[in-house]
Amino acid sequence: MKTQQIAIILSIFAIILTSCSNQSRLLANIDSYIQTYPDSAYTELKKYKESDFTSRKNRARYCTLYAIALDKNSYDSGSFLDTLSAYKNYYKRHGNPREKMLFNFYLGDQQTDSNMLEEAVSSYTEALLLAKECKDWFYCGMSSSRIGVLYSRQYNNNESIKYQEIACNYFNKVGDPHYILRSQLKLASAYMSQKRFDEALKLCQDTYTKAKSLNNNPILTSALSLMSSFYLLLEPPHPDSTIHIIKQIQQINKSMCKLVNIDDASSVIGLNITTILNPDLFLDALEGKVIKDVKQFLVDYNKYVEV
């Protein structure tokens, strides 16, 4: 009788081990392509629930991968924060440096989406330390850049510039032109917030030149729209330069200027200024109304500055 009981227990244990092993292979497979094909990874992960996974290790890994898929597919609402946060203590004691790095980075992403800015800075800082340990320069750059953005949202321009400069250095190590140019624009925006206009313009112009040589229209348009904001923020403003750049943007690709139902290039400039000056600026534009006349836009902007 005792022998039969032992045999049953061993059989159950073997089934559990096999299940855990299969689940580990499933998650490892998704991990192998989630960065390159995040939409496919999200579709696969959606087939399962956290509770479907037998071991705490696999549940933790599933939740991390799911958070990655949400971010990579721009499903950013912070709705997964509570589920992901439940594994914070687990990753303090378990997991390799890469797993801990990814967990903290995407925990920071969920915290940002939930407007928990200080907590997000803390999570991204931990991710940055772990990325350095892993010598993962990409996530070093991403963590630094996001910390810089969060400091900007808290009006801490000095720290924002510091971390965007660090991000640029890391992305230069990675060597991917797309991320190098994007990081330069974020640093230029940080410089503009502190009215370091010469440095900002130099970065924008460098980014524009390199994006043009690479035929990278999204970066090219972003560089131009930031430069147009720059000319409006000068004292006195240079509206003619802004109008000239807006025409360039329209010529490059009008479709690039469609942001939240806005189909006029001047609205892009309004949205850029929103991030620099005041979130109440051009609220009508954010609600989907179109600013049809560029000159009228500039008149409205100057009235706002005078106030």
Side-chain angles (χ1 to χ4, degrees), residues 4-188:
Q4 287 180 331
Q5 289 176 336
I6 292 172
I8 292 170
I9 291 169
L10 288 175
S11 298
I12 293 171
F13 188 62
I15 292 169
I16 292 171
L17 283 178
T18 302
S19 175
C20 285
S21 178
N22 289 339
Q23 290 175 349
S24 295
R25 283 196 292 270
L26 168 71
L27 294 173
N29 181 50
I30 295 171
D31 193 7
S32 70
Y33 63 81
I34 194 168
Q35 302 287 347
T36 311
Y37 304 106
D39 51 342
S40 299
Y42 178 72
T43 300
E44 186 65 21
L45 288 164
K46 283 285 286 182
K47 295 177 182 177
Y48 307 94
K49 304 187 297 293
E50 175 193 2
S51 58
D52 291 335
F53 293 87
T54 310
S55 69
R56 186 162 175 78
K57 178 182 178 180
N58 283 337
R59 289 195 297 273
R61 192 174 189 186
Y62 168 80
C63 288
T64 301
L65 289 171
Y66 195 83
I68 295 172
L70 289 173
D71 179 59
K72 293 286 185 181
N73 288 284
S74 300
Y75 300 145
D76 298 327
S77 65
S79 59
F80 198 60
L81 177 59
D82 289 343
T83 304
L84 191 63
S85 296
Y87 293 96
K88 192 170 183 179
N89 287 332
Y90 171 84
Y91 277 111
K92 284 181 179 179
R93 298 188 298 272
H94 304 285
N96 60 42
R98 181 181 180 273
E99 289 169 343
K100 292 179 179 182
M101 174 196 74
L102 291 173
F103 172 80
N104 279 282
F105 184 88
Y106 291 99
L107 176 62
D109 177 66
Q110 286 290 312
Q111 289 165 332
T112 301
D113 295 337
S114 301
N115 207 34
M116 298 168 61
L117 304 189
E118 291 183 7
E119 293 85 349
V121 168
S122 178
S123 295
Y124 283 132
T125 301
E126 183 65 21
L128 176 57
L129 292 172
L130 290 161
K132 287 178 183 177
E133 184 180 342
C134 297
K135 291 184 170 53
D136 189 322
W137 309 132
F138 176 77
Y139 272 101
C140 281
M142 290 296 293
S143 299
S144 301
S145 180
R146 294 202 180 188
I147 292 169
V149 170
L150 289 170
Y151 276 127
S152 176
R153 287 176 62 177
Q154 297 175 70
Y155 305 102
N156 189 338
N157 293 328
N158 289 331
E159 287 298 296
S160 177
I161 288 171
K162 171 186 168 182
Y163 278 96
Q164 293 300 356
E165 287 176 340
I166 291 171
C168 282
N169 291 332
Y170 280 124
F171 284 125
N172 278 312
K173 279 189 174 186
V174 175
D176 186 323
H178 179 76
Y179 285 100
I180 291 170
L181 297 181
R182 279 183 60 185
S183 67
Q184 286 188 182
L185 289 181
K186 288 183 179 179
L187 178 56

